[in-house]
Amino acid sequence: AKDRGRNTYEFYTEELTRKAFERVLLESNLRLAVEREELFLNYQPQIELATGRVVGMEALIRWNHPELGLLSPTRFIPLAEDSGLIHAIGEWVLREACRQARAWCEAGLEFGRLGVNVSRAQLQRGRLFEDIQSALAASGLPPERLELEVTESFIMEQDTLAVEQLDRLRDCGVSIAIDDFGTGYSSLSYLKRLPVHKLKIDKSFVLDIADDDNDMAIVAAVISMGRKLGLTVLAEGVESARQADFLLENGCHEAQGFLYARPMPHEAVTAFLREQAPK
Ligand code: C2E
Ligand code: CA
Ligand code: CA
Ligand code: CA
């Protein structure tokens, strides 16, 4: 038993060392990833439930790592946030997404709004407004086409810099969606103060709406609250027709998930939009 205890301990420290090592390695690789063009964007359609129309495209970053292959953002975005690399990456995402969305506009393909995820650190640095203005100007994408996805957990009462920037963005036509709605710890009072346009119900609530009474109650209540506040309500992670039926019956406006389409590279989205276009 003693031996086993020691082995477990050794295994544990080895595991920790391996993780720490991987972290340092990934971080230094990530520094070069932007220059080496290893990062790219996938897009996932957002669908209007009542009509089936495409009303938005969310940009989701991917890293094509030379040795490790395709990496999900959950593996490297937290690293980018801790190391400050998120500023360079976030700026690149904005430019690239606006440029690619503008290409759909020019091809006459209707995609609705372009959703771009923004990290807390980007808002807190106070340069987001300028970065967005310059990405819009460089691409020629109209500001009304851009929607920023921010999570509720960082919209704190005292964060005047963040609030000020969101106000300025709203004033120039950019809209704001609250991502992962329902998972933050904040009070809901920010919904009165902030220029929010859309609530995205987190996929953890949507997962079981066909079977779990509590999740049904939560989702129905969020939809109803959002509607009363005059917001657009979108459900994330919709995978089944039963979920979609429940959402539609309860007045949810929009949905996003594998039921409609997985996140796809730019060219695949172009083909998808061509397919959807009225003939
Ligand atoms: P998110 O913003 O909540 O994005 C939704 C995630 O759900 C995406 O994971 C998407 O692929 C996944 N998803 C979509 N439909 C379904 C479904 O039907 N079922 C299930 N189970 N999952 C679905 P992804 O692409 O791995 O992104 C993970 C997170 O990484 C995002 O969560 C977002 O927080 C972050 N992220 C992605 N791109 C960026 C970016 O450009 N900048 C920043 N700061 N964060 C990003
Ligand atoms: Ca998002
Ligand atoms: Ca989300
Ligand atoms: Ca999420």
Side-chain angles (χ1 to χ4, degrees):
K2 225 176 175 181
D3 273 358
R4 222 171 97 203
R6 212 190 67 203
N7 287 342
T8 312
Y9 175 75
E10 277 174 3
F11 174 76
Y12 187 63
T13 41
E14 246 174 53
E15 179 69 8
L16 274 183
T17 314
R18 197 185 59 76
K19 284 217 169 102
F21 183 71
E22 184 193 87
R23 213 184 141 83
V24 172
L25 192 74
L26 268 190
E27 192 183 308
S28 66
N29 290 174
L30 192 53
R31 267 177 214 287
L32 296 168
V34 179
E35 288 170 38
R36 294 185 179 164
E37 298 184 18
E38 291 167 5
L39 301 177
F40 67 99
L41 297 177
N42 271 351
Y43 295 88
Q44 189 178 34
Q46 301 176 334
I47 307 296
E48 186 173 61
L49 277 159
T51 61
R53 273 190 324 137
V54 177
V55 288
M57 278 293 167
E58 178 178 4
L60 294 159
I61 196 169
R62 301 286 181 266
W63 181 6
N64 197 359
H65 188 283
E67 282 108 41
L68 300 171
L70 195 62
L71 297 185
S72 132
T74 52
R75 256 184 99 183
F76 65 89
I77 289 291
L79 253 168
E81 285 169 341
D82 292 347
S83 61
L85 285 169
I86 193 66
H87 298 298
I89 292 173
E91 225 185 297
W92 176 83
V93 169
L94 276 165
R95 286 186 167 269
E96 181 74 354
C98 290
R99 188 181 68 78
Q100 295 191 318
R102 171 68 194 192
W104 293 322
C105 291
E106 282 181 343
L109 296 170
E110 187 48 67
F111 62 92
R113 282 202 178 90
L114 166 71
V116 175
N117 292 287
V118 169
S119 287
R120 170 183 191 159
Q122 288 176 268
L123 257 179
Q124 284 175 333
R125 192 168 67 150
R127 270 192 25 199
L128 189 66
F129 182 80
E130 281 73 22
D131 287 352
I132 287 171
Q133 289 302 319
S134 101
L136 289 171
S139 62
L141 188 77
E144 292 74 23
R145 290 285 192 155
L146 181 62
E147 181 165 87
L148 303 180
E149 299 196 0
V150 300
T151 55
E152 61 179 334
S153 50
F154 73 81
I155 304 171
M156 282 157 303
E157 215 80 38
Q158 309 84 343
D159 202 340
T160 44
L161 185 61
V163 175
E164 195 187 283
Q165 289 192 84
L166 292 179
D167 279 334
R168 284 173 76 193
L169 285 162
R170 188 262 322 265
D171 291 346
C172 75
V174 174
S175 55
I176 314 290
I178 302 296
D179 208 352
D180 302 346
F181 186 76
T183 61
Y185 304 103
S186 60
S187 87
L188 293 175
S189 65
Y190 71 86
L191 290 174
K192 292 193 297 186
R193 291 178 297 112
L194 287 183
V196 175
H197 162 91
K198 183 190 276 186
L199 297 183
K200 297 190 75 177
I201 305 176
D202 191 66
K203 57 178 176 291
S204 60
F205 299 109
V206 175
L207 190 68
D208 283 333
I209 44 173
D211 309 301
D212 182 308
D213 288 346
N214 290 329
D215 284 344
M216 274 187 226
I218 292 169
V219 169
V222 170
I223 295 169
S224 148
M225 181 197 70
R227 291 185 68 101
K228 282 178 187 142
L229 290 169
L231 304 172
T232 300
V233 183
L234 178 145
E236 300 185 320
V238 178
E239 296 183 3
S240 74
R242 281 181 70 199
Q243 293 168 328
D245 290 345
F246 176 87
L247 292 163
L248 183 61
E249 276 161 25
N250 283 275
C252 188
H253 302 103
E254 300 175 4
Q256 181 179 352
F258 298 164
L259 177 65
Y260 309 99
R262 296 204 168 237
M264 309 172 264
H266 184 258
E267 314 78 65
V269 176
T270 306
F272 177 88
L273 290 172
R274 285 228 164 85
E275 192 104 330
Q276 303 282 310
K279 308 259 151 46

